[in-house]
Structures are given as C-alpha cells and as structure tokens.
C-alpha cells in the first residue's frame, strides 16, 4: 500500500536525479540570498528587528483569545460579517453558503494559501462555480491544474518557454519568450474576469487586532482589484495571522518583503477594514471574514512548538533549505512545504501519516538562522522525530524488538546469532538491494557494514 511516506521517498529519489529541475530551482533562487542580505543591511539592526518581531508574535499568539475577539469586534462594528470555522469543511461550507446566497456565477481570487489548505477551489468548482486565480503565478499553475509549487513563488519550477506553450494551448495566444508579453496575455484575460466576477476571495498577510483590519501585501495589484471590483469580498485567513497593533506593520511589512522576495517593500500594501462606507467611492458592498482554525489551536496547546504559529509565510526557510532545493515543492505532498511545512503538517494533518517529513532535513539549521521571526525550525523537526518515536510502534516493529530482546538477553542465542550473521552476510551482499534482500529498506539508502570477523569477547578470551 502506498503511504504518504513511500510517495515522498519515491518522488524525492526521482527529483534528486532530475538535474534539469535542480538547475531550474537553483537559477530561480540564484540571487535571492545576495539581494536579501543587501536589504537586511538597510535595517538599522537586523538581529534586533528579528528579536522584536519574535516578541510581537509571541505576544499575539500567547494572547490569541483576546486579540481575536478584539479583531472580530472591530470588524463587526464597521459592518463586516465575521465567521469562525473550526475545520476546513466548515470554512468551505461557509464560503459556499455565501456564494450560493449571492447567486454568484463567477469568482475571482487572489493568492491565499489557506484556500489551498482547505481545497476551496475544488469545492467551488464541484458546486458549479467558475473560480479564476488572479495572481500571475497562481493563474499559471491553475491552468496546469497544479497546486502552488512554493508558498511565495507558485510557478518557480516553470520556464518562460513552458509558460508560453501553456498560454498558447489554453489561451490561444501567440508563442513568446518575453516575460512582459506573457504578463500582458494573462492581464488581458484577467481584466475581463475582474469586471464580470460577482465575488472576490482573498487571503490576508496580517490581521490587525487593534483596528480590526486585514493587511494584504502584493506586487501585481491583483488583490486590490479582487477586493475592489466585485460587490462581495470574502477574506479567508488562519487565526495565527494576528498582530496586536497597527504600528506593528511598520516592522512586519518590510520584514516580510525582505525575507520573501528580497524587496525593501512589496509594491502594493493595502488595509481592509470593512465594506464600503457611506461617501466612499469604491470597495465591496459586503465584506465577510472567515477565521480558520483547522487544528491551529491544537498547535497552540503545544507549549514546545507553539512558536510555529509565528510564521509569516515569507518562504525564506524554503529558499535556503538544501532539501527543498533538491527535492522541490511538490515532493512534500502538502500545502506547506519546506522546513515550516515539515514542522506544522504533522500537527495540522496528523503525526502518524506525516512523521516522515521530520526526516526531510539535514538539520543544518539554515532555516532557523534565516527565519525573520526566529522560529526554532530545526529543533522542532527533532522534537517531531522524538514525538514520532514515542508513538505506539507498529506490529512488525514490536515483533522485531521482542525478538531482539529475547536474543540479546541470552548469551548463547546471541553467540549463535552472530555466527549465523557472519555466515549469511556474503549471501546478503549478493542479493543486496533486490527483492530477495530482507534488509532492502535499509540497504537501499545505507551500507550494512560487514560484521567483524571476530567478536570482542572472542578476542578477549584468546588474549587471556
Ligand atoms: S518559518 Fe520563518 S522563514 Fe519559514 S516561512 Fe515562516 S516566517 Fe518565513
């Protein structure tokens, strides 16, 4: 039976051998660290800024109950409908309910990883609604019927040529290798969709408790159009997006831009505080905010790893991770990939099925070192390994351990076992890695060292 772990192993083996893919990812991230470091240098004191950001998120997450209520009350006071969703299913049902009530036909969407997490597009399409992604990278992967490859760069695994072929096939455009022309092709399609969409769905980068506003940061202006043109706006966000004060954005907006893309600040930074108010020229007539838990409160209850909720989804830990750079985003099989994905997925989707992700790390600590909010990522991976080891072992593991205990506790049996092992080892070497090798799960990726010709006990006995 194929498990998530075996799929991961197979895909990782395939991708690490795919030199073209590795070259593409290296090229895409070629200048990332240089530019990021230049931008960091523009901060008066980057380590102090990281410390301040970590403390602000600590305050936000450790007083989440208070901040969330404040956020929701402020939004509701300006006419926003606030919905609480415990699970992904509930969030989908809430959004489907709004879409049906409004008798919407088409929906435009800006980038939202939470919507990927709850498979919102699939649910809306199955219910007969047209959903169009407006972020260029998301638009591209949607045309390919793929999820985003990376939380910040959804189409980083594709070349211009591949995108041109895709557009020619799906949008009947003329082939081109020019990024500007490719962008204009997508732009022409998307402009019409904004105008005809009945509902705009967005995510959020931050949720400001003090003022009851959501902050969206982007480079294309697509989220602004998604929010401004349709009559109804829905924002779906995880409850961990909270920041206590408006002034916190002065630190978090540049920090997110520097860590995410190496920009001093993203091009468009917008705050949304409710539906259009009397006298305002634009904005949605109706504004819904869906606050998603989806097991985040279980992570909140884990004092050891609670700081994983501090994540601002900048993607920096993915960019520097040697595992991500070799196996790529799709290998993880999860919405959130790379080090942060390996830390939180076992919490969000179950340790039993996703414990293998804790081993998808060299524990080099590059992720922890780069994280702007100082999440101790590589130690959390170790803690997940420990937690997995504490789980009830499988039937075969129990059997193997019992058999080992019986033999190891009886010197005579141990001695026979050693002799048999030495006799069997030449045969094992012949069949190593084949289906006949009982130790192939081990020997596929590691050496089984030869047993010593003579045990220490025998050697000692001879000496004396
Ligand atoms: S864990 Fe840190 S580095 Fe990774 S995406 Fe989140 S904030 Fe960025």
């Amino acid at each position: 039976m194929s498990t998530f772990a075996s799929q991961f192993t197979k895909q990782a083996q395939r991708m690490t051998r795919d030199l073209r893919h590795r070259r593409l990812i290296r090229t895409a991230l070629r200048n990332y660290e240089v530019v990021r470091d230049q931008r960091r240098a523009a901060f008066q004191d980057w380590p102090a800024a990281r410390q301040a950001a970590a403390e602000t998120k600590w305050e936000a997450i450790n007083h989440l109950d208070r901040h969330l209520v404040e956020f929701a009350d402020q939004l509701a006071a300006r006419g926003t409908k606030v919905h609480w969703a415990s699970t992904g299913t509930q969030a989908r049902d809430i959004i489907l309910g709004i879409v049906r009530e409004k008798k919407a036909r088409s929906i435009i969407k800006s980038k939202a990883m939470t919507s990927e997490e709850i498979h919102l597009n699939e649910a809306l399409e199955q219910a007969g609604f047209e959903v169009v992604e407006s972020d260029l990278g998301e638009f591209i992967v949607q045309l390919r019927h793929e999820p985003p490859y990376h939380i910040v760069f959804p189409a980083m695994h594709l070349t211009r040529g591949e995108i041109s072929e895709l557009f020619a096939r799906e949008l009947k455009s003329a082939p081109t290798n020019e990024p500007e022309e490719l962008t204009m092709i997508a732009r022409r399609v998307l402009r019409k969709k904004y105008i005809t969409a009945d509902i705009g769905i967005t995510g959020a980068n931050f949720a400001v408790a003090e003022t009851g506003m959501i902050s969206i940061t982007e480079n294309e202006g697509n989220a602004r159009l998604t929010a401004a043109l349709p009559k109804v706006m829905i924002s779906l966000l995880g409850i961990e997006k909270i920041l206590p004060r408006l002034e916190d954005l002065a630190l978090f907006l540049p920090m997110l831009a520097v860590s995410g893309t190496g920009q001093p600040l993203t091009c468009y930074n917008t705050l949304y505080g409710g539906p259009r108010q009397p006298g305002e020229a634009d904005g949605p007539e109706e504004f819904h905010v869906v606050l998603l838990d989806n097991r985040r409160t279980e992570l909140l209850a884990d004092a050891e790893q609670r700081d994983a909720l501090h994540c601002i989804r900048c993607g920096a830990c993915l960019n520097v991770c040697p595992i991500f750079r070799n196996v790529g985003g799709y290998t993880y099989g999860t919405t959130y990939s790379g080090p942060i994905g390996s830390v939180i997925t076992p919490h969000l989707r179950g340790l039993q099925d996703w414990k293998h992700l804790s081993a998808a790390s060299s524990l080099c600590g590059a992720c922890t070192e780069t994280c702007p909010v100082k999440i101790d990522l590589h130690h959390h991976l170790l803690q997940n390994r420990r937690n997995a080891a504490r789980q009830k072992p499988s039937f075969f593991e129990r059997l193997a351990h019992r058999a080992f205990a019986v033999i190891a506790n009886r010197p005579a049996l141990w001695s026979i076992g050693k002799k048999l092992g030495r006799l069997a080892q030449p045969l094992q070497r012949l069949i190593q890695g084949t289906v006949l090798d009982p130790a192939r799960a081990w020997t596929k990726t590691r050496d089984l060292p030869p047993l010593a010709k003579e045990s220490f006990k025998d050697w000692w006995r001879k000496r004396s």
Side-chain angles (χ1 to χ4, degrees):
M1 196 181 66
S2 170
T3 60
F4 294 116
S6 67
Q7 285 166 19
F8 177 89
T9 309
K10 268 191 219 139
Q11 182 70 359
Q13 283 171 351
R14 202 168 69 78
M15 296 314 286
T16 39
R17 283 192 214 110
D18 186 342
L19 298 184
R20 180 185 166 275
H21 171 264
R22 284 168 59 182
R23 232 186 348 263
L24 258 173
I25 302 309
R26 256 206 312 277
T27 309
L29 295 171
R30 190 176 39 212
N31 291 326
Y32 165 75
E33 283 172 63
V34 177
V35 181
R36 180 204 62 189
D37 289 348
Q38 283 168 358
R39 300 301 181 204
R40 278 183 185 175
F43 277 69
Q44 229 171 31
D45 186 345
W46 174 255
R50 282 179 84 209
Q51 186 58 33
E55 285 172 15
T56 304
K57 279 306 282 188
W58 189 94
E59 185 200 337
I61 295 300
N62 279 272
H63 301 288
L64 198 54
D65 51 345
R66 185 157 47 76
H67 291 310
L68 276 173
V69 171
E70 188 184 7
F71 173 69
D73 287 350
Q74 295 278 10
L75 272 171
R78 279 191 303 274
T80 303
K81 294 183 184 156
V82 181
H83 309 262
W84 300 87
S86 299
T87 62
T89 313
Q90 269 183 20
R92 284 198 305 266
D93 289 346
I94 290 167
I95 294 172
L96 270 167
I98 300 167
V99 172
R100 284 197 181 109
E101 189 201 309
K102 297 291 149 200
K103 298 192 176 34
R105 286 177 316 277
S106 71
I107 299 157
I108 189 98
K109 222 177 126 265
S110 67
K111 194 164 175 303
M113 289 309 288
T114 35
S115 74
E116 300 293 333
E117 180 185 326
I118 65 166
H119 306 288
L120 181 62
N121 284 11
E122 290 91 320
L124 288 167
E125 281 163 1
Q126 272 167 20
F129 301 103
E130 186 202 33
V131 195
V132 180
E133 292 288 347
S134 61
D135 172 272
L136 181 58
E138 293 270 349
F139 177 69
I140 292 165
V141 289
Q142 188 186 29
L143 286 179
R144 287 169 60 95
H145 309 288
E146 283 176 355
Y149 180 92
H150 181 288
I151 57 178
V152 175
F153 312 116
M156 77 185 289
H157 59 305
L158 300 173
T159 61
R160 286 179 222 169
E162 284 168 325
I163 296 167
S164 170
E165 273 173 35
L166 175 75
F167 282 2
R169 193 172 62 243
E170 300 291 330
L171 308 174
K172 312 292 173 235
S173 59
T176 171
N177 209 27
E178 294 303 318
E180 291 79 10
E181 284 177 28
L182 289 168
T183 309
M184 290 311 289
I185 294 166
R187 190 175 194 259
R188 276 194 291 276
V189 175
L190 288 170
R191 288 282 143 146
K192 287 190 200 128
K193 300 290 179 187
Y194 291 120
I195 294 164
T196 53
D198 305 296
I199 292 190
I201 299 181
T202 76
N205 295 99
F206 303 103
V208 183
E210 180 187 45
T211 54
M213 288 171 169
I214 65 163
S215 158
I216 300 182
T217 172
E218 45 146 351
N219 277 317
E220 298 167 21
N222 64 299
R224 276 193 178 177
L225 289 171
T226 300
L229 294 181
K231 287 189 176 155
V232 179
M233 172 179 174
I234 304 172
S235 294
L236 170 68
L237 50 139
I239 53 173
E240 81 286 6
K241 294 282 177 185
I242 285 286
L243 285 180
R245 296 160 295 266
L246 188 62
E247 68 182 34
D248 295 328
L249 289 176
L251 172 62
F252 278 87
L253 289 177
M255 186 164 251
L256 176 57
V258 167
S259 302
T261 52
Q263 291 170 280
L265 203 59
T266 3
C267 298
Y268 299 95
N269 292 285
T270 317
L271 284 162
Y272 300 92
R276 186 188 305 186
Q277 303 294 306
E280 284 182 352
D282 59 11
E285 289 170 12
E286 209 172 295
F287 184 29
H288 296 261
V289 168
V290 183
L291 288 162
L292 178 70
D293 178 344
N294 213 19
R295 300 182 80 170
R296 284 163 173 78
T297 41
E298 285 176 40
L299 183 51
L300 184 67
D302 181 341
E304 196 174 51
Q305 294 199 27
R306 182 179 298 159
D307 69 342
L309 290 170
H310 297 185
C311 175
I312 57 171
R313 305 278 189 264
C314 69
C317 56
L318 282 65
N319 300 345
V320 299
C321 174
I323 306 300
F324 179 89
R325 290 169 78 116
N326 281 292
V327 304
Y330 290 147
T331 298
Y332 291 81
T334 56
T335 305
Y336 306 104
S337 59
I340 185 63
S342 299
V343 168
I344 62 174
T345 305
H347 291 275
L348 301 183
R349 295 177 68 177
L351 182 61
Q352 185 56 35
D353 283 340
W354 297 97
K355 60 185 174 190
H356 60 280
L357 292 181
S358 331
S361 168
S362 63
L363 298 179
C364 65
C367 48
T368 305
E369 207 173 296
T370 200
C371 177
V373 286
K374 295 184 79 172
I375 302 174
D376 198 356
L377 290 155
H378 70 295
H379 281 110
H380 290 339
L381 290 172
L382 273 174
Q383 286 152 2
N384 279 352
R385 288 185 195 182
R386 181 206 58 206
N387 295 345
R390 279 182 186 160
Q391 278 190 326
K392 202 173 161 203
S394 70
F395 171 75
F396 291 108
E397 279 173 314
R398 283 204 306 273
L399 197 68
H401 287 149
R402 281 213 188 116
F404 179 78
V406 168
I407 295 168
N409 277 317
R410 288 165 183 79
L413 277 181
W414 183 255
S415 172
I416 294 168
K418 272 187 319 193
K419 283 182 186 130
L420 287 176
R422 272 190 216 108
L423 284 175
Q425 197 153 41
L427 176 65
Q428 191 275 330
R429 291 209 172 277
L430 279 179
I431 57 169
Q432 184 164 323
T434 69
V435 281
L436 299 172
D437 180 6
R440 67 181 179 281
W442 175 270
T443 57
K444 242 195 302 183
T445 50
R446 306 171 187 86
D447 283 337
L448 196 60
L451 293 173
K453 289 205 175 68
E454 189 178 38
S455 71
F456 173 77
K457 220 166 138 189
D458 295 339
W459 175 81
W460 187 256
R461 201 179 290 128
K462 263 202 268 166
R463 257 176 69 97
S464 53

